[in-house]
Amino acid sequence: EAGVDRVIVVPTYEHVFDKRSAPYEDRVHMCELAMATLEGVEVSRIERTLQESRTLLVLEALQEANPGADLRLVIGSDILPSTPRWHRWDAVAALAPPLLVGRRGYPVDEASLKAHGLEEPPLTMPELSSTDIRRRLQSGQSVAGRVPPAVAEYARSRRLYSANVE
């Protein structure tokens, strides 16, 4: 929908807002499994190299590694309200103008777009929730149609979201 040439998926090395998640290498591997069949999509370990999860630093490193590239940052509309807490959001938005993806429960109106310096309406994507997927894996429910089978099998085999895993 957005007419991009390539998508770089960057798993978070360490969540800056202290969100607990599976180990980094497991998350990277699941991203690689999920993206394996998608042309023009790659998974980057740049946050591990930087040992930093500040979006601006990641974008600057990606710009340096890809001189002349016009970067865009894909974010969900659920993230939009938290951008004032981000490190130098204005610089992030200037370096990689956001591509907004609509999320259920987080409508975006014209005023909100303008308040965040966005001009394009949200992209339409299938409704998926990582929280729901983790909850389903934890309770042993099916995640068919939500993640590729290889990702579900990997998460289950590594017991990443089991009830008895912290």
Side-chain angles (χ1 to χ4, degrees):
E1 282 185 47
V4 298
D5 297 324
R6 175 172 74 139
V7 174
I8 303 172
V9 176
V10 182
T12 301
Y13 181 68
E14 197 171 280
H15 202 284
V16 295
F17 296 138
D18 294 326
K19 181 178 177 181
R20 295 184 58 149
S21 55
Y24 178 75
E25 287 301 324
D26 288 320
R27 289 182 288 109
V28 169
H29 190 67
M30 288 187 290
C31 285
E32 290 169 342
L33 290 169
M35 305 301 153
T37 62
L38 301 175
E39 190 174 319
V41 179
E42 65 185 77
V43 177
S44 170
R45 295 173 187 260
I46 196 160
E47 282 203 13
R48 179 174 193 126
T49 302
L50 296 172
Q51 301 238 331
E52 181 78 48
S53 291
R54 292 198 186 266
T55 304
L56 181 58
L57 296 176
V58 171
L59 290 171
E60 288 171 343
L62 287 172
Q63 186 72 69
E64 186 177 317
N66 300 279
D70 293 324
L71 300 178
R72 302 294 304 267
L73 176 66
V74 179
I75 63 169
S77 60
D78 57 321
I79 299 297
L80 211 49
S82 73
T83 57
R85 294 174 36 210
W86 288 31
H87 174 72
R88 297 190 52 210
W89 170 253
D90 55 334
V92 168
L95 180 57
L99 286 172
L100 192 62
V101 176
R103 297 290 305 266
R104 183 184 307 159
Y106 296 89
V108 179
D109 58 19
E110 190 73 27
S112 183
L113 286 173
K114 284 186 179 185
H116 289 88
L118 303 175
E119 299 175 8
E120 303 160 308
L123 300 171
T124 303
M125 300 279 286
E127 184 59 40
L128 291 173
S129 163
S130 59
T131 302
D132 176 61
I133 291 166
R134 286 189 303 270
R135 181 187 56 74
R136 286 173 168 277
L137 286 167
Q138 183 177 22
S139 64
Q141 296 178 37
S142 172
V143 291
R146 290 173 172 80
V147 299
V151 175
E153 177 55 35
Y154 182 84
R156 284 194 176 103
S157 72
R158 301 276 297 166
R159 300 173 40 108
L160 296 177
Y161 304 105
S162 297
N164 58 353
V165 175
E166 290 291 317

